[in-house]
Amino acid sequence: METRKISPEEAAQRLLAADNILILTHKNPDGDAIGSALAIDRGLRQKGKHCRVTWSGELASYFSLITEGYVTDSFEEPDFILAVDLANTRLLPEETQCYADRVDMVIDHHATSVEFAKETLLEAAASCCAEIIVKVLIRMECDITTEIANCVYVGLATDTGCFRYSNTTAENHLLAAKLVTLGVDIAKFNEQIFGQKSRARVEIERRVLAGMEFTAGGRICIITVTRAMLEETRCIESDIEGIATIPKAIEGVEAGITLREQENGNWKISLRTATLDAAEICSLFGGGGHRRAAGCECSGTPFEIKVALVAAINKRLGE
Amino acid sequence: METRKISPEEAAQRLLAADNILILTHKNPDGDAIGSALAIDRGLRQKGKHCRVTWSGELASYFSLITEGYVTDSFEEPDFILAVDLANTRLLPEETQCYADRVDMVIDHHATSVEFAKETLLEAAASCCAEIIVKVLIRMECDITTEIANCVYVGLATDTGCFRYSNTTAENHLLAAKLVTLGVDIAKFNEQIFGQKSRARVEIERRVLAGMEFTAGGRICIITVTRAMLEETRCIESDIEGIATIPKAIEGVEAGITLREQENGNWKISLRTATLDAAEICSLFGGGGHRRAAGCECSGTPFEIKVALVAAINKRLGE
């Protein structure tokens, strides 16, 4: 579908003309997905709109900071379908796939965004979708209540890793300053979002660290996540988020490898590098990705896979 | 010594009247100590002053971001002694204890600051000393170069836990926005300060996690750091910084206990709590502290100590 690129101003006008608005976002929703959806929902309700945000899957416990007390409006058929933080309708959860061809507007910040909606508000330079939502809310002349500020903060803080990731901008800090003055209790929010690890996460980490292996004089670090470990610890998806970043985050590690056992018995490999071309290395095993973060899927025993990967990496480290 | 409380304006005037300035800070200096000292040093040099920052001890590797290329000015005797981020002269390293009674000015943000300098610029509401330094630099009409902004960012980011801790303010975010526009490469800085763990840290963590114990239905979590573990992993002090926060950061944990073996064979206990009065519990064992973070030192076997602590905590959990 060919889409029309729109500005925050146009997005605001379009939303103000709608009545019953269904708000979609991607599956396994993160803080920016839910935060963006609930922020625009709450702004639209100020304007007398009926809104319904749908999401699926188990959410990490910190989401209760913004989802608690959320009640969807009841309407039969939406007259407007808005998607937020959604780069591709393939990423919709199963329950909302039926709307994939009917999305009226998408508000998103992913550079990988494909055209699927009638109108698209895309700001690929934004660190999070929530900061674009704020622009639309301001154009709709919404009151940025503490409740809305809370939703925006969750999106902003999670997508920037609490202002740590490389995508963090001066504008993000200015927005954060504004959100604090609007009443966000950032001490409480940060503690719940970043200060707490689930028991399952700690249990998987202790197993993963116990089995951590180093080679090439500490320049290669390998961790392994088996299905048995996931079952023992009862991890849900959000519990193992970012686990592949552990090896590379160790001083002196040039290549961090994560082996994760799949249901079909294969092993999903994630490779993070400091200077080597991760995509090139993974392409040797039928995979690909980015220069510093790539992946592939391998069959065989973990030992065989590790030997093959280490050989390929060692060769390049020696060059 | 009775001190005179001064404003950033007065601090600026006083510094501009000095020539050879010795800049002191506390032992085991953190990012805010070194960042504040180097920021004011660099500002003062713009004004033609001779400056020497002294610090002692091994610094974590990220400090090279701001210490690289730093050369002290050579002068025999300082005509002005400035202390930064120093709450008490007892916290000076041994090498600079000789200056303890001669400090002309202290710039600090610790609520626990005691009077020791002739003049004191204390802003206890500031999250970091570096943000007070900025005020003084502005009053001295210094150019806030990228080099200075880098030093300030290190202080700001480390003392607020990268804008995560409860001390983070709207002003901190405004300052961060300003520092980004002044050229701080926050992606690089955050990666080196927060994104990397030393190999020794990872090695101690895997040992600590392996021995982690839970009781009271997951509401009490205990970790133990032995001297053997520290020796095996060759940890320096900065490698085990914050290790006592690990147990309490687990979802569902009401009381997090850390046992750390001392040189004299005793065990230093750190207790972090969610709702219980940690100071009251530690006072039973001759210690004390704050309501949510307290400590004590115990003799005996780790098992005996854990049994006694758990009994005291269980009693209060049941109330």
Side-chain angles (χ1 to χ4, degrees):
Chain A
M1 181 188 292
E2 205 165 329
T3 195
R4 210 172 78 84
K5 298 282 167 66
I6 57 170
S7 66
E9 177 66 40
E10 288 170 292
Q13 283 167 15
R14 213 71 79 239
L15 288 166
L16 287 174
D19 284 312
N20 298 322
I21 303 166
L22 178 68
I23 304 170
L24 310 176
T25 190
H26 59 81
K27 61 187 165 191
N28 299 320
D30 54 11
D32 194 28
I34 301 288
S36 295
L38 291 180
I40 193 83
D41 173 292
R42 284 171 170 146
L44 287 164
R45 286 180 197 227
Q46 281 179 22
K47 299 292 165 188
K49 311 301 175 188
H50 299 107
C51 294
R52 188 158 71 218
V53 175
T54 70
W55 66 80
S56 70
E58 209 167 346
L59 297 181
S61 64
Y62 76 78
F63 281 98
S64 65
L65 288 165
I66 52 172
T67 58
E68 203 166 299
Y70 176 72
V71 182
T72 58
D73 278 334
S74 64
F75 47 79
E76 292 279 307
E77 269 297 299
D79 62 27
F80 196 91
I81 300 177
L82 169 69
V84 297
D85 199 39
L86 183 74
N88 192 315
T89 49
R90 281 186 302 149
L91 300 173
L92 284 171
E94 218 172 303
E95 305 88 297
T96 58
Q97 277 294 344
C98 54
Y99 300 111
D101 297 329
R102 298 170 47 196
V103 179
D104 293 287
M105 188 198 297
V106 58
I107 303 178
D108 190 31
H109 71 119
H110 291 97
T112 54
S113 169
V114 301
E115 304 191 346
F116 61 82
K118 293 193 191 102
E119 298 188 305
T120 298
L121 168 53
L122 176 70
E123 297 195 0
S127 309
C128 59
C129 187
E131 66 181 281
I132 316 172
I133 298 289
V134 170
K135 295 183 187 176
V136 177
L137 289 170
I138 290 169
R139 266 75 171 187
M140 293 200 307
E141 298 188 345
C142 289
D143 177 23
I144 311 287
T145 60
T146 303
E147 203 178 27
I148 291 177
N150 286 342
C151 297
V152 173
Y153 186 78
V154 167
L156 174 62
T158 54
D159 260 25
T160 60
C162 207
F163 312 97
R164 216 195 80 190
Y165 299 159
S166 59
N167 62 352
T168 309
T169 62
E171 288 69 33
N172 292 156
H173 278 297
L174 290 178
L175 177 55
K178 185 84 186 156
L179 297 173
V180 175
T181 61
L182 288 168
V184 179
D185 182 352
I186 60 166
K188 180 173 141 192
F189 274 59
N190 292 341
E191 170 62 18
Q192 289 204 37
I193 303 173
F194 304 106
Q196 299 265 304
K197 280 185 183 178
S198 69
R199 174 73 186 270
R201 171 66 177 222
V202 172
E203 291 296 344
I204 195 87
E205 276 191 14
R206 76 203 284 190
R207 285 162 177 77
V208 160
L209 289 186
M212 179 178 262
E213 296 165 299
F214 291 90
T215 182
R219 288 190 295 166
I220 302 177
C221 175
I222 309 173
I223 60 171
T224 306
V225 183
T226 65
R227 289 180 51 76
M229 284 160 65
L230 292 173
E231 279 157 26
E232 261 170 52
T233 58
R234 296 188 202 149
C235 277
I236 61 171
E237 200 56 38
S238 67
D239 291 321
I240 52 166
E241 202 182 295
I243 210 131
T245 65
I246 292 176
K248 174 60 199 62
I250 301 168
E251 242 170 45
V253 171
E254 163 61 41
I257 303 172
T258 303
L259 274 72
R260 188 171 158 193
E261 191 180 4
Q262 302 298 292
E263 280 194 43
N264 63 7
N266 283 352
W267 295 82
K268 206 174 123 187
I269 312 302
S270 162
L271 174 64
R272 308 288 175 111
T273 56
T275 60
L276 296 179
D277 187 340
E280 186 264 331
I281 294 166
C282 286
S283 75
L284 300 174
F285 302 90
H290 307 282
R291 275 184 65 80
R292 303 286 177 250
C296 54
E297 191 167 318
C298 299
S299 57
T301 68
F303 181 72
E304 290 167 339
I305 296 167
K306 288 186 278 188
V307 166
L309 282 163
V310 167
I313 294 165
N314 265 335
K315 182 159 171 271
R316 284 153 184 82
L317 282 176
E319 278 165 6
Chain B
M1 179 189 289
E2 206 165 328
T3 194
R4 209 171 79 83
K5 297 282 167 65
I6 57 171
S7 66
E9 177 65 41
E10 288 170 293
Q13 283 168 16
R14 212 72 79 237
L15 289 166
L16 288 174
D19 284 313
N20 298 322
I21 303 167
L22 177 67
I23 304 171
L24 310 176
T25 190
H26 60 80
K27 61 186 164 190
N28 299 321
D30 55 11
D32 194 29
I34 300 290
S36 295
L38 291 180
I40 193 83
D41 172 291
R42 285 171 170 148
L44 287 164
R45 285 178 196 228
Q46 281 178 22
K47 299 294 164 186
K49 312 301 177 186
H50 299 105
C51 295
R52 188 158 70 217
V53 174
T54 70
W55 64 82
S56 70
E58 208 166 343
L59 297 183
S61 64
Y62 75 79
F63 280 99
S64 65
L65 287 165
I66 52 172
T67 58
E68 203 166 300
Y70 177 73
V71 182
T72 59
D73 278 334
S74 65
F75 47 79
E76 292 278 309
E77 269 298 298
D79 61 27
F80 196 92
I81 301 178
L82 169 68
V84 297
D85 200 39
L86 183 74
N88 192 315
T89 50
R90 282 185 301 150
L91 301 173
L92 284 171
E94 219 173 303
E95 306 87 296
T96 57
Q97 275 296 342
C98 54
Y99 300 111
D101 298 328
R102 297 171 47 196
V103 179
D104 293 288
M105 187 199 297
V106 58
I107 302 178
D108 190 31
H109 72 119
H110 291 96
T112 53
S113 168
V114 301
E115 304 191 346
F116 61 82
K118 292 193 192 99
E119 297 188 306
T120 299
L121 169 52
L122 176 69
E123 296 196 0
S127 309
C128 59
C129 186
E131 66 180 280
I132 316 173
I133 298 289
V134 171
K135 295 183 187 178
V136 177
L137 290 170
I138 290 169
R139 264 73 170 190
M140 294 200 307
E141 296 186 349
C142 290
D143 177 23
I144 311 287
T145 60
T146 302
E147 204 178 27
I148 291 177
N150 286 342
C151 296
V152 173
Y153 186 78
V154 167
L156 174 62
T158 54
D159 260 25
T160 60
C162 207
F163 312 96
R164 216 196 80 191
Y165 299 160
S166 59
N167 63 351
T168 308
T169 62
E171 289 69 34
N172 291 157
H173 278 296
L174 290 177
L175 177 56
K178 184 86 186 153
L179 296 172
V180 175
T181 60
L182 288 167
V184 178
D185 182 351
I186 60 166
K188 178 173 143 192
F189 274 60
N190 292 342
E191 170 63 17
Q192 289 203 37
I193 302 173
F194 304 106
Q196 298 266 302
K197 281 184 183 181
S198 68
R199 175 74 185 269
R201 172 66 178 222
V202 172
E203 291 295 345
I204 195 88
E205 276 190 15
R206 76 203 285 190
R207 285 162 177 78
V208 160
L209 288 187
M212 180 179 262
E213 296 165 299
F214 290 90
T215 181
R219 289 189 295 165
I220 302 176
C221 175
I222 309 174
I223 61 171
T224 306
V225 183
T226 65
R227 288 179 51 77
M229 283 159 66
L230 293 173
E231 280 157 23
E232 261 171 52
T233 57
R234 295 186 202 152
C235 277
I236 60 171
E237 200 56 38
S238 67
D239 292 320
I240 51 166
E241 203 182 294
I243 210 133
T245 65
I246 292 177
K248 175 57 199 62
I250 301 167
E251 241 169 44
V253 171
E254 163 61 41
I257 303 172
T258 303
L259 273 73
R260 187 170 159 194
E261 191 179 5
Q262 302 298 293
E263 281 194 41
N264 64 6
N266 283 352
W267 295 81
K268 205 173 123 189
I269 312 302
S270 162
L271 173 64
R272 307 288 175 112
T273 55
T275 60
L276 296 179
D277 187 341
E280 187 263 333
I281 294 165
C282 286
S283 74
L284 300 175
F285 303 89
H290 306 282
R291 276 185 65 80
R292 304 285 176 252
C296 54
E297 191 166 318
C298 299
S299 58
T301 68
F303 181 71
E304 288 168 338
I305 296 167
K306 288 186 276 188
V307 166
L309 282 164
V310 167
I313 294 165
N314 265 334
K315 183 158 169 273
R316 284 154 184 82
L317 282 176
E319 281 165 3

